[in-house]
Amino acid sequence: MKYVDVDGVGKVSRIGLGTWQFGSTEWGYGDSYASGAARDIVKRALALGVTLFDTAEVYGLGKSERILGEALGDERSAVALASKIFPIAPFPPVIKQRERASARRLQVDRIPLYQIHQPNPVVPDSVIMPGMRSLLDSGDIGAAGVSNYSLARWQKADAALGRPVVSNQVQFSLARPSALEDLVPFAERENRIVIAYSPLAQGLLGGKYGLDNRPGGVRAGNQLFGTENLRRVEPLLQTLRDVATEVGAKPAQVALAWLISLPNVVAIPGASSVEQLEFNVAAADIELSPQARDALTDAARAFRPVSTLDFISEQIREKLGRR
């Protein structure tokens, strides 16, 4: 495993574990998963050197935090545990109350990394960040982070906090590479981290899905799996396959290896089984040549998915055509 040291958080594994699915009915995981597979996944992650475990108060309406805290057991205070507050009425007393509620569900006294889950479109960070600063001053959290912030808003949050906002968790993958343009250079320059969620684009980068094998469930609404986007993404997937053959790995592992080869980037793929977790963690051992990394970066930047409006129009046309 590879690591990066983050002020206030500690040693962060370059591949962590995202736990959105823990307790979330939209992913089809019920109580038996929580008491069985989820616990086994967390235990195996710890054994493999994973230190970054990411959750949020809205994942399963608190269930993810409870499941994760229970599964971590005595290790829960020794890892880089991260959670998020959804910024509804994000005033200092509310932030304090909800951080304490998350800490209780996680069974910890201190949350190493506490993040603002979304930029609030109405309440500015000059109002939000004093609450985070109070948590830092009291020692209830180790560091403050944000999620889904643009670079400009990240910098405003930084100024409002009066100390570094150490992380920004964003959708980032070979299929969604926009963080390359500004967030990654900023993180490298300012010694922050970018946390990549959905690093495999919900399985698209594994090469499993195509025009003749569409995903169902939650993934069915992801525009990346639309007909035109599946056509457009093929050159990127072929580059992934070529590099995977070169390094003796699978395309999804190469997609993760590319992310963590970037400066100050960590990835938090989810895992529905111990085997999937082991598969993801193995990507940390893959060393990409500069040529392979550049080829992947070029292919990622060349991929131009259709707009959301065009995807919706495509879906309507396809549904009408089937009648």
Side-chain angles (χ1 to χ4, degrees), residues 169-201:
Q169 184 178 145
V170 295
Q171 185 173 190
F172 185 21
S173 69
L174 283 165
R176 299 286 194 192
S178 61
L180 281 174
E181 307 309 321
D182 53 3
L183 299 182
V184 172
F186 175 78
E188 181 181 18
R189 186 171 66 248
E190 300 295 329
N191 196 29
R192 317 295 173 83
I193 59 171
V194 172
I195 303 174
Y197 74 80
S198 197
L200 299 176

Side-chain angles (χ1 to χ4, degrees), residues 3-208:
Y3 300 92
V4 59
D5 287 321
V6 179
D7 288 344
V9 182
K11 189 169 74 169
V12 173
S13 54
R14 297 295 294 271
I15 293 181
L17 177 65
T19 65
W20 175 17
Q21 74 273 26
F22 286 14
S24 296
T25 55
E26 65 266 31
W27 286 99
Y29 301 126
D31 291 339
S32 61
Y33 174 86
S35 61
R39 180 193 59 224
D40 295 340
I41 289 166
V42 170
K43 296 298 185 187
R44 184 59 178 149
L46 290 167
L48 292 172
V50 173
T51 63
L52 176 60
F53 295 84
D54 181 80
T55 184
E57 64 176 8
V58 298
Y59 295 168
L61 299 178
K63 287 183 180 179
S64 174
E65 291 176 323
R66 290 191 186 95
I67 293 168
L68 179 58
E70 189 65 34
L72 284 168
D74 293 341
E75 298 294 323
R76 65 177 71 92
S77 296
V79 297
L81 195 54
S83 193
K84 297 182 283 293
I85 177 175
F86 202 79
I88 297 174
F91 306 108
V94 176
I95 290 175
K96 172 76 171 181
Q97 178 187 45
R98 285 163 62 187
E99 186 277 335
R100 288 291 81 196
S102 286
R104 284 193 297 273
R105 288 189 290 268
L106 290 164
Q107 300 182 52
V108 295
D109 295 324
R110 173 183 174 273
I111 299 177
L113 178 61
Y114 196 52
Q115 306 154 95
I116 303 297
H117 204 146
Q118 299 278 356
N120 188 299
V122 177
V123 182
D125 288 291
S126 59
V127 173
I128 298 171
M129 285 300 159
M132 300 293 277
R133 186 166 60 246
S134 176
L135 291 172
L136 286 167
D137 291 341
S138 66
D140 289 320
I141 65 174
V146 293
S147 183
N148 299 302
Y149 272 44
S150 66
L151 176 59
R153 182 124 189 195
W154 190 2
Q155 291 172 317
K156 288 179 180 178
D158 220 44
L161 185 65
R163 62 194 76 176
V165 174
V166 303
S167 64
N168 191 358
Q169 184 178 145
V170 295
Q171 185 173 190
F172 185 21
S173 69
L174 283 165
R176 299 286 194 192
S178 61
L180 281 174
E181 307 309 321
D182 53 3
L183 299 182
V184 172
F186 175 78
E188 181 181 18
R189 186 171 66 248
E190 300 295 329
N191 196 29
R192 317 295 173 83
I193 59 171
V194 172
I195 303 174
Y197 74 80
S198 197
L200 299 176
Q202 294 191 352
L204 175 68
L205 298 174
K208 172 182 176 182

